[in-house]
């Protein structure tokens, strides 16, 4: 069915499934109640139902399939029944009015782009059974302010939280071994990050996290060194990045005759103040192109 004039639906008795593409493109459909006997909702079943504001999913449904609610841009809230174990790729992609969603504890798989561009979503809880946060799962969820990653997660995919510009803090469990490229890029409100130093981090993972870098620079040198590890942006030496930050902060003015190189990052004066390079020494070590990169991130 592809009827943009359809506004309401009455199901016949005995319906147990909604086939693929059943309501695809029904842009005038505002609400629908799926019968309790339905156990399966097909591929792209409600794709592009842009006027749909409410829907009830029966308890016997076990899977939210690929593209099922993609483009339901007026949908504000939805409750996924406890029997669901899988949320497919693009399942709620571009549901831009969705402010709240409850994911049951039984869900073990959340697909690529599942909540991509859900720009009104403010909070979400990932069940403990989920072990992978896939590519672009929460990309451009610009209102998402809080996120708890379960201890069982071992991998965070490419651009998983990219452009989550309201996200302020996140803790990466010790079990996470890999964070994909651009996973937290443009998370401009992120000021607190906790993660294991053993994790493998993809290119541009934290690029343009301007508040995070500023918070680190205001704190202490080890934090700055960790946050500006060369893997986190591009292949530029840690020492040069830290020195650039120090010069930009203007903290070198009172420091004289300090050694250059990695050892200078580890030394502390007796009053606890870090001992960075002098301005002239630091500037001599930093290529002009690096200064532009550092300024861009700050």
């Amino acid at each position: 069915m592809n009827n943009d004039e359809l506004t309401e639906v009455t199901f016949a008795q005995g319906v147990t499934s909604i086939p693929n593409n059943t309501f695809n493109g029904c842009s005038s459909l505002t609400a629908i109640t799926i019968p309790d006997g339905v156990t399966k909702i097909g591929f792209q079943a409600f794709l592009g139902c842009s006027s749909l504001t409410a829907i009830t999913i029966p308890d016997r449904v076990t899977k939210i399939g690929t593209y099922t609610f993609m483009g339901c841009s007026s949908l504000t809230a939805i409750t996924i029944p406890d029997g669901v174990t899988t949320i497919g790729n693009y399942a709620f992609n571009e549901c831009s009015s969705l402010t709240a969603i409850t994911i049951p504890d039984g869900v073990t798989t959340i697909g690529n782009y599942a909540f991509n561009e859900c720009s009104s979503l403010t909070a979400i809880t990932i069940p403990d059974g989920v072990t992978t946060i896939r590519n672009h799962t929460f990309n451009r969820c610009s209102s998402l302010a809080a996120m708890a990653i379960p201890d069982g997660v071992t991998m965070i995919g490419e651009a998983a939280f990219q452009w989550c510009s309201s996200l302020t803090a996140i803790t990466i469990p010790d079990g996470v071994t890999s964070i994909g490229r651009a996973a937290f890029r443009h998370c401009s409100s992120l000021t607190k990050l906790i993660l294991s130093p053993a994790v493998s981090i993809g290119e541009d993972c934290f690029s343009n996290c301007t508040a995070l870098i500023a918070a680190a620079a205001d704190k202490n040198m080890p934090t700055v060194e960790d946050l500006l590890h060369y893997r986190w942006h591009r292949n530029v030496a840690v020492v040069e990045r830290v020195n650039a930050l120090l010069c930009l902060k203007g903290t070198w003015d009172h420091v004289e005759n300090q050694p250059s190189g990695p050892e200078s990052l580890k030394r502390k004066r007796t009053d606890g103040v870090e001992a960075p390079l002098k301005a002239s020494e630091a500037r001599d070590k930093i290529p002009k192109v690096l200064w532009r990169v550092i300024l861009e991130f700050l």
Side-chain angles (χ1 to χ4, degrees):
M1 180 180 295
N2 189 2
N3 186 350
D4 59 8
E5 296 181 358
L6 183 68
T7 58
E8 58 183 52
V9 175
T10 301
F11 289 93
Q13 287 187 333
V15 171
T16 59
S17 69
I18 298 176
N20 296 344
N21 293 296
T22 301
F23 300 103
N24 185 350
C26 293
S27 58
S28 297
L29 187 64
T30 58
I32 190 167
T33 299
I34 303 173
D36 291 339
V38 169
T39 59
K40 181 181 178 181
I41 300 175
F43 171 80
Q44 296 184 164
F46 296 94
L47 175 66
C49 293
S50 56
S51 297
L52 189 66
T53 58
I55 190 165
T56 301
I57 302 175
D59 291 339
R60 296 175 65 185
V61 171
T62 59
K63 179 180 179 180
I64 308 296
T66 302
Y67 297 103
T68 299
F69 297 102
M70 178 175 171
C72 293
S73 55
S74 297
L75 190 65
T76 57
I78 191 166
T79 299
I80 300 174
D82 291 339
V84 170
T85 59
T86 300
I87 297 174
N89 297 338
Y90 296 88
F92 297 95
N93 183 41
E94 298 176 4
C95 290
S96 56
S97 296
L98 190 65
T99 58
I101 188 165
T102 301
I103 301 178
D105 292 339
V107 170
T108 57
T109 300
I110 301 176
N112 299 323
Y113 291 84
F115 297 96
N116 179 58
E117 295 195 39
C118 290
S119 55
S120 297
L121 191 65
T122 58
I124 193 165
T125 301
I126 301 174
D128 291 338
V130 172
T131 58
T132 300
I133 299 176
R134 300 178 186 272
N135 297 345
H136 294 263
T137 301
F138 300 102
N139 178 48
R140 293 188 181 274
C141 290
S142 55
S143 297
L144 189 64
M147 167 64 67
I149 299 178
D151 290 339
V153 170
T154 60
M155 186 182 79
I156 297 174
E158 179 179 314
F161 297 94
Q162 182 179 229
W163 287 107
C164 288
S165 54
S166 296
L167 191 65
T168 59
I170 195 158
T171 298
I172 311 295
D174 289 343
V176 172
T177 59
S178 175
I179 303 177
R181 185 180 70 84
F184 294 91
R185 182 165 58 181
H186 300 299
C187 291
S188 55
S189 296
L190 190 64
T191 58
K192 183 178 181 182
L193 172 71
I194 300 174
L195 82 168
S196 166
V199 66
S200 174
I201 297 170
E203 183 181 359
D204 290 334
C205 188
F206 296 95
S207 68
N208 286 348
C209 292
T210 51
L212 182 63
I213 295 175
D218 285 340
K219 200 169 182 182
N220 57 58
M221 287 299 296
T223 306
V224 175
E225 184 176 356
D226 290 342
L227 287 174
L228 297 182
H229 192 288
Y230 70 92
R231 291 177 301 175
W232 291 30
H233 294 307
R234 292 180 174 85
N235 292 330
V236 181
V238 162
V239 175
E240 291 181 336
R241 285 196 171 277
V242 173
N243 289 339
L245 271 174
L246 290 166
C247 289
L248 289 172
K249 285 179 62 186
T251 56
W252 71 89
D253 290 338
H254 66 287
V255 181
E256 296 180 356
N257 300 319
Q258 294 298 334
S260 61
E263 289 303 313
S264 67
L265 301 181
K266 300 177 182 179
R267 294 186 56 184
K268 291 187 177 182
R269 301 194 316 180
T270 55
D271 59 1
V273 176
E274 298 288 347
L277 298 175
K278 292 192 296 183
S280 58
E281 292 175 345
R283 289 184 184 277
D284 289 343
K285 288 179 173 292
I286 301 169
K288 291 182 179 180
V289 65
L290 175 59
W291 279 102
R292 290 198 293 271
V293 172
I294 291 290
L295 286 168
E296 179 182 332
F297 290 140
L298 290 176

